[in-house]
Every structure is written in structure tokens, then in C-alpha cells.
Amino acid sequence: EAGVAQSPRYKIIEKRQSVAFWCNPISGHATLYWYQQILGQGPKLLIQFQNNGVVDDSQLPKDRFSAERLKGVDSTLKIQPAKLEDSAVYLCASSSSGARKNNEQFFGPGTRLTVL
Amino acid sequence: GDSVTQMEGPVTLSEEACLTINCTYTATGYPSLFWYVQYPGEGLQLLLKATKADDKGSNKGFEATYRKETTSFHLEKGSVQVSDSAVYFCALSEGAGANSKLTFGKGITLSVRP
């Protein structure tokens, strides 16, 4: 079974530029998550999708970050314009839906963003 | 809100030494508890989990017991190997199905020397 795929793996941009990350979850997983992991900290949830609907985006800086999952499969996360403090690893995770408590989340390798 | 506190790192051990990584949590309900591991250059992987009080999660020689009375979930291993060198994250999750989300601690880097 293929895991969660993310691209690109690395990205370097200058502040005020825009950038987009792509995630393809495990086939059949209805729930998709984007996390931000700043160096020296644990991952922080940015947004959670259930199929193509947003479940939780309370921690997403909506003035500059946006995310979509139009067909309920793959997803893109965009930052426009980027700030220095956006330098981090952006992790995508997916899990199967259902009533079972705390379905395991499977993580992709992440995209390391450096903003200069 | 929910939070997870991990002991400060990094931790450096010799091969075959005993390992304990402390983790405590704050939650409003009855969370599930997890340890995730991140090997160099790889994504986060679930190491073990426990879903209710007194449960013991175990995998690859690592163990952790869900202690509700002390709100703790300490990670232990009796004899570490060089291949255990990684970053370890404690996490909790409340809710079910699509409403579950993970709250992570800061992580701790473990280095095991031969």
C-alpha cells in the first residue's frame, strides 16, 4: 500500500513570494490533515478535511494560508505572501474515517520550507 | 485546552542503556495517548498507543503505560540500540472518527552511541 505522498520535498523562497504544497493521501482515506512543524517544536494542526469539507481550520492563518481538497482526494496548501516565520516543515497526514475512536494518522515525509 | 509536556532534551545514551522519556498531559476528557517517532530524513511514524487508563502500549521493545492518576505516558526501553536514534513525540487525541485531532509535545532527540 502506497503511503502519503508530498511534493516538493524542499522549497526555498524569498519573503512575500507565494508557494504551494501538494499532498496525496493513502487511497480510501477520507480524512486529511495539514500540520506545521517549526524547528524544535511538535507539529501543529493547521487544517483538517473530511472528504472535501473543512472540519477544523481554527489554527490556519487565513490572511495568508489557504488549503483546498476539491475532489476529496489530493490537497494543496498555499501561502501567499510568505513571511520569515513560515519557515517550517509542512506535514500532511491521512486517516480512514468511521466511528472507531482515534483512527491512526499516517504521515507523509513533509515539505521543508525555507523563507529568506 | 489540551496540551502535552515532554522532558527537555536532547538525550544521549550508550548502546544497551535503559531509556525513559517523560511525558505528561492535560486534557478535558479521556484522551488516547500516542508516541510517534521520526527517524532522520523520514516522516512521523506511530510507535505505540494506549486508548484508556492502565493500558500499556508496546512496540519494538518500547513500552508506555497510560497513567490517569498522574496524567503521564512515559516511554521506556530496557536496552537501546543505535538504530533507535530519532526524535520522539508524545501526543494525545480526543474525539472520534473525523473529529479526532492530535496535539503533540515538542519532541525530544535521542542519540545512541555505539
Side-chain angles (χ1 to χ4, degrees):
Chain A
E1 180 182 81
V4 177
Q6 289 187 250
S7 68
R9 291 294 308 275
Y10 305 92
K11 189 73 177 178
I12 300 174
I13 62 172
E14 295 190 350
K15 60 183 179 184
R16 291 188 288 275
Q17 286 186 321
S18 62
V19 64
F21 313 127
W22 175 81
C23 172
N24 193 23
I26 292 173
S27 177
H29 279 191
T31 310
L32 185 147
Y33 310 79
W34 283 103
Y35 290 85
Q36 180 192 57
Q37 185 179 8
I38 293 173
L39 186 64
Q41 299 182 20
K44 181 187 80 172
L45 180 69
L46 291 176
I47 188 167
Q48 177 184 347
F49 291 94
Q50 176 71 9
N51 296 309
N52 60 350
V54 175
V55 174
D56 183 351
D57 64 355
S58 58
Q59 298 295 307
L60 188 74
K62 299 181 185 63
D63 58 332
R64 297 183 300 106
F65 286 65
S66 64
E68 60 183 15
R69 193 184 184 201
L70 293 176
K71 296 181 180 179
V73 181
D74 56 346
S75 174
T76 56
L77 176 70
K78 297 179 182 178
I79 308 174
Q80 182 179 6
K83 293 185 175 181
L84 296 177
E85 58 261 35
D86 298 332
S87 294
V89 176
Y90 291 85
L91 297 168
C92 180
S94 70
S95 68
S96 59
S97 63
R100 189 166 64 91
K101 185 180 178 184
N102 299 310
N103 295 313
E104 180 179 348
Q105 293 184 27
F106 295 83
F107 285 81
T111 296
R112 182 178 297 278
L113 173 67
T114 302
V115 182
L116 303 176
Chain B
D2 297 346
S3 66
V4 175
T5 303
Q6 291 185 233
M7 59 183 277
E8 294 290 327
V11 173
T12 302
L13 296 173
S14 297
E15 204 166 23
E16 298 183 4
C18 294
L19 169 72
T20 299
I21 301 177
N22 291 339
C23 171
T24 58
Y25 68 90
T26 302
T28 53
Y30 301 94
S32 292
L33 303 174
F34 306 82
W35 277 100
Y36 278 81
V37 59
Q38 191 170 34
Y39 297 104
E42 299 184 17
L44 282 165
Q45 301 174 27
L46 179 64
L47 180 60
L48 54 84
K49 68 178 182 181
T51 58
K52 61 183 188 297
D54 300 326
D55 267 3
K56 178 185 284 188
S58 61
N59 186 25
K60 299 182 179 181
F62 290 90
E63 292 183 340
T65 301
Y66 190 142
R67 301 286 188 199
K68 188 170 182 295
E69 63 276 13
T70 55
T71 62
S72 65
F73 193 55
H74 305 323
L75 183 67
E76 299 177 325
K77 188 174 186 181
S79 175
V80 294
Q81 305 301 312
V82 172
S83 57
D84 294 327
S85 298
V87 182
Y88 292 81
F89 294 91
C90 186
L92 67 80
S93 177
E94 293 198 89
N99 293 319
S100 65
K101 64 177 183 180
L102 288 166
T103 300
F104 286 89
K106 288 188 174 182
I108 186 169
T109 299
L110 170 66
S111 298
V112 180
R113 54 177 184 245

